[in-house]
Amino acid sequence: MMKNFHFTIKFQITLLALTGLLFLALVGGLGYQAVRALSTQAGKSVAQASNTTDLLNSMRTANSAYLVGIMEYKNILMRGNDPDCYAKHMDLFEQAYSSSRDALEETKLAGDAVGFDTDGIDKLIEGSESLYKKYTDSLKNFNAASLTSGQDIDKRTRGLDEAISSSFDQLANEITQFAIKEGKEAQVVLQSSASATEIRTLMAVGL
């Protein structure tokens, strides 16, 4: 009889130990799943924010290079009577245009990656190419022997860059608003995910 009594106590202790381990496993499993879900969502939010930053930075790079190109075009008209200056500023003008074009292409790729509407970027690329062609065509009429040649060309091409400059400003505003909107949405999603994690943890503890 005493032997059976000791066996029963031993069995009950073992059963309690197994139950405790099962409880810890359930709590740990649910907690792990909840934290993992929150971590995954946080990772997505960080990646989206990083891609949106790339979008804005590439647009700024394109705009900066565009402005340099405008400046170098003006330098050609003002200093191009000197062959060395003409060659120097023409080379810088070509480099700036190429850099701006490449940066706009990167902006388009970055926009596609985050779901940003890239129609405005496409139009800006087309407009930049059109302006570049008008500038290079105008320089075909540049006469280094004439001191007024640059002034005459400047009068004919003055203001052609204003539409592109406005398009860059508009694109910058659209990207900024998009980034703000994405940031707010990401915050809502993370808060929702955090609340779900808290509920799962409480449910696990309450088992």
Side-chain angles (χ1 to χ4, degrees):
M1 186 70 174
M2 183 65 66
K3 183 178 181 180
N4 291 336
F5 177 73
H6 285 299
F7 176 78
T8 302
I9 292 177
K10 183 178 180 181
F11 176 78
Q12 290 178 345
I13 292 173
T14 303
L15 183 60
L16 286 172
L18 291 174
T19 302
L21 290 174
L22 179 60
F23 173 79
L24 290 175
L26 287 173
V27 171
L30 288 173
Y32 169 76
Q33 291 179 0
V35 172
R36 183 180 181 183
L38 180 60
S39 176
T40 299
Q41 186 58 52
K44 291 180 180 179
S45 298
V46 170
Q48 181 76 353
S50 177
N51 290 334
T52 303
T53 300
D54 290 341
L55 171 64
L56 186 58
N57 287 339
S58 60
M59 186 281 302
R60 288 173 174 169
T61 299
N63 190 26
S64 296
Y66 162 77
L67 293 175
V68 170
I70 298 298
M71 181 183 68
E72 292 304 331
Y73 174 74
K74 299 294 184 181
N75 282 332
I76 294 172
L77 299 181
M78 289 188 295
R79 301 177 174 84
N81 296 96
D82 182 330
D84 291 337
C85 287
Y86 185 96
K88 171 187 174 182
H89 292 296
M90 175 59 87
D91 184 53
L92 293 173
F93 169 71
E94 295 282 357
Q95 290 180 27
Y97 166 72
S98 179
S99 296
S100 181
R101 179 192 59 203
D102 292 345
L104 281 174
E105 293 291 347
E106 292 177 2
T107 303
K108 179 176 172 61
L109 292 175
D112 289 335
V114 296
F116 179 77
D117 186 355
T118 59
D119 287 346
I121 301 174
D122 290 331
K123 293 178 181 178
L124 191 51
I125 292 174
E126 293 175 4
S128 296
E129 291 178 350
S130 176
L131 179 63
Y132 170 76
K133 186 177 186 304
K134 291 177 181 178
Y135 278 169
T136 52
D137 287 344
S138 72
L139 291 175
K140 294 176 182 178
N141 298 318
F142 184 81
N143 182 7
S146 172
L147 295 178
T148 62
S149 180
Q151 297 176 4
D152 294 338
I153 294 175
D154 182 58
K155 290 178 182 178
R156 293 196 297 269
T157 59
R158 189 176 301 167
L160 292 179
D161 60 308
E162 292 179 358
I164 305 301
S165 297
S166 296
S167 295
F168 266 114
D169 291 340
Q170 181 179 349
L171 179 60
N173 181 64
E174 291 176 355
I175 292 176
T176 299
Q177 294 303 316
F178 176 82
I180 293 173
K181 174 176 172 290
E182 288 291 302
K184 290 181 178 179
E185 291 179 353
Q187 185 177 9
V188 170
V189 171
L190 280 175
Q191 288 176 344
S192 177
S193 182
S195 296
T197 300
E198 183 179 359
I199 291 173
R200 289 182 182 179
T201 303
L202 290 174
M203 288 177 61
V205 173
L207 286 175

